[in-house]
Amino acid sequence: MVKILLVEDNEMNRDMLSRRLKRNGYAVVIAVDGQQGVEMAASESPDLILMDMSLPVIDGWEATRRVKANEATRAIPVIALTAHAMAGDREKAIEAGCEDYDTKPVEITRLLGKITALLTPGAA
């Protein structure tokens, strides 16, 4: 089963998204802040990370940089999730090391398509 690390501090978003991912056949592990996300990327070895960008302790931008700086976790694809759909945010996410970017509120069909594209060799 494909394991997704969901790094999200908002309980409502976390619960809704984890339920939908589980319903679609994914195993989900959860981190509630950026530091815990970095630590769990190493300890849980997820297949993909969904990273909120507005997080306590360290934000999603810095957490992604740390995941990508670690030899053991740098190959894990990261999708940035943000409610701040400002011009330049997608570029900022890619610069931080994210493979893709999605806006909140999450449209689950669109997000599942992005997850599938990143986890299927040659599909992207």
Side-chain angles (χ1 to χ4, degrees):
M1 184 178 277
V2 171
K3 186 192 300 183
I4 295 177
L5 171 58
L6 173 59
V7 188
E8 170 64 71
D9 63 317
N10 180 288
E11 187 177 2
M12 204 165 66
N13 290 343
R14 201 168 52 233
D15 291 348
M16 179 274 303
L17 200 46
S18 65
R19 274 198 320 272
R20 286 178 164 184
L21 291 167
K22 287 174 185 174
R23 234 182 283 139
N24 281 279
Y26 295 104
V28 179
V29 290
I30 294 171
V32 297
D33 64 54
Q35 183 62 45
Q36 187 181 35
V38 172
E39 292 164 3
M40 288 181 73
S43 67
E44 293 285 337
S45 300
D47 297 290
L48 183 132
I49 300 170
L50 295 176
M51 182 78 73
D52 180 26
M53 293 292 114
S54 300
L55 292 166
V57 187
I58 59 172
D59 66 24
W61 310 110
E62 180 59 26
T64 299
R65 284 186 204 95
R66 291 184 190 184
V67 166
K68 294 303 182 174
N70 182 337
E71 186 70 35
T73 56
R74 78 168 35 125
I76 302 169
V78 178
I79 298 177
L81 298 177
T82 182
H84 310 290
M86 310 295 263
D89 273 359
R90 186 177 199 291
E91 291 72 23
K92 188 176 173 184
I94 302 303
E95 259 174 45
C98 297
E99 278 72 21
D100 210 337
Y101 168 91
D102 206 9
T103 55
K104 294 182 198 175
V106 170
E107 206 277 45
I108 195 67
T109 305
R110 182 182 63 215
L111 181 61
L112 290 172
K114 292 178 179 196
I115 291 169
T116 300
L118 285 171
L119 295 177
T120 307

